[in-house]
Structures are given as structure tokens and as C-alpha cells.
């Protein structure tokens, strides 16, 4: 992909390279854990470049829940703004790649239901929420039909 711009965070760029370079047969665990990750591919809102971000794999049926936690940092991750600007993404889940549309979940009941699923998959999200004053955004990625 000639328009791909790797993350400035070396560990992120390395994981994406391993995951994508292997066709999804390696690099699909978060750092030194057994927790699965997906790769979210989207377009940068400022540069138009292709961006790829490993996120925790949190599924809700055929949909994926994307949590903009950034480890509980006070600001949203850059990819949050990219998804708000252009909701078309591709999600790589190991060897499968799915075109999807994302939407930020703003309905309180729906957000609470999805948040519980996300915390069950990755309990650190609860700690991240406690570390920040912002409400951590939740997106739902749904298959393109």
C-alpha cells in the first residue's frame, strides 16, 4: 500500500508489520500476553494516508467494539478523530479482512452494554477509565452490506 504511513510509535509499527507481513498468522496477540488484537485500517483525516492500528479484539456477534482508551490518557487517540472524519475501515482479524463502517456509540444503554463486553474481554479498560476524566469513546464496527 503506497499511501501507508506507519505509526510513529515503534512498537505499534512493528506489531502491524509482523501481523500484516505474516498474513495474520503472527503478531495477533497484544504485546507479551495471550490477548488477541485486530488491525484497524483507516484513512488519516489530515494527510489522507492509510493508518493501521492494533486494537484489542472485542467482538459482538459479527461486529467489533473499538475502544478509544489510549491507556487512560487525558486525550483521545489520533485514530478516534480519523474514524469520526471517515467511518470506512478495514479490520484484519488474523487471516480475515473485513470492510466495515464504524459509528461512535452515544446511546447510553447501548454504550453500557458494549462497554461491559469490552471490559470482559480486556479488564484494563476499567482501570483506564478511572485514570482519565474523559468518557472513553466506544465505536461499533459493522460489516458493509
Amino acid at each position: 500500500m503506497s499511501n501507508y504511513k506507519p505509526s510513529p510509535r515503534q512498537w505499534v509499527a512493528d506489531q502491524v508489520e509482523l501481523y500484516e507481513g505474516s498474513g495474520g498468522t503472527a503478531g495477533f496477540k497484544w504485546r507479551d500476553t495471550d490477548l488477541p488484537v485486530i488491525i484497524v485500517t483507516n484513512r488519516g483525516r489530515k494527510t489522507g494516508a492509510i493508518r493501521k492500528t492494533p486494537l484489542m479484539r472485542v467482538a459482538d456477534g459479527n461486529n467489533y467494539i473499538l475502544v478509544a482508551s489510549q491507556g487512560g490518557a487525558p486525550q483521545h487517540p489520533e485514530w478516534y478523530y480519523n474514524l469520526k472524519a471517515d467511518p470506512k475501515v478495514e479490520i484484519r482479524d488474523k487471516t480475515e479482512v473485513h470492510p466495515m463502517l464504524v459509528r461512535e456509540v452515544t446511546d447510553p444503554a447501548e454504550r453500557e452494554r458494549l462497554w461491559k463486553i469490552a471490559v470482559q474481554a480486556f479488564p484494563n479498560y476499567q482501570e483506564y477509565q478511572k485514570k482519565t476524566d474523559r468518557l472513553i469513546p466506544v465505536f461499533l464496527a459493522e460489516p458493509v452490506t
Side-chain angles (χ1 to χ4, degrees):
M1 211 174 262
S2 62
N3 201 14
Y4 170 56
K5 184 173 182 182
S7 172
R9 292 185 175 167
Q10 193 59 52
W11 75 267
V12 172
D14 290 347
Q15 181 158 22
V16 169
E17 184 177 336
L18 177 61
Y19 203 135
E20 297 250 311
S22 71
T25 61
F28 54 82
K29 301 286 181 159
W30 183 58
R31 294 191 171 183
D32 296 326
T33 73
D34 281 335
L35 298 171
V37 296
I38 57 175
I39 301 293
V40 178
T41 301
N42 63 279
R43 188 163 301 281
R45 72 191 181 290
K46 294 178 184 175
T47 65
I50 300 299
R51 306 303 297 218
K52 296 175 184 265
T53 307
L55 296 177
M56 302 311 299
R57 183 191 186 281
V58 183
D60 180 37
N62 291 328
N63 303 328
Y64 291 90
I65 302 166
L66 312 179
V67 180
S69 67
Q70 191 154 283
Q75 69 283 343
H76 298 324
E78 284 299 314
W79 63 262
Y80 166 86
Y81 301 102
N82 293 342
L83 297 189
K84 293 289 285 182
D86 183 352
K88 294 182 294 259
V89 301
E90 277 188 353
I91 293 184
R92 174 179 284 280
D93 188 352
K94 294 187 179 176
T95 60
E96 297 180 10
V97 178
H98 308 280
M100 305 195 101
L101 287 175
V102 300
R103 61 180 174 85
E104 186 173 2
V105 178
T106 56
D107 175 74
E110 182 183 20
R111 187 192 180 285
E112 181 63 23
R113 183 183 77 77
L114 297 174
W115 180 257
K116 286 178 181 176
I117 294 168
V119 168
Q120 184 175 3
F122 187 62
N124 290 13
Y125 285 141
Q126 200 73 287
E127 294 305 311
Y128 296 166
Q129 184 59 75
K130 290 177 187 173
K131 285 173 51 177
T132 187
D133 291 332
R134 69 185 172 92
L135 180 64
I136 293 176
V138 173
F139 286 88
L140 190 64
E142 299 168 302
V144 173
T145 55

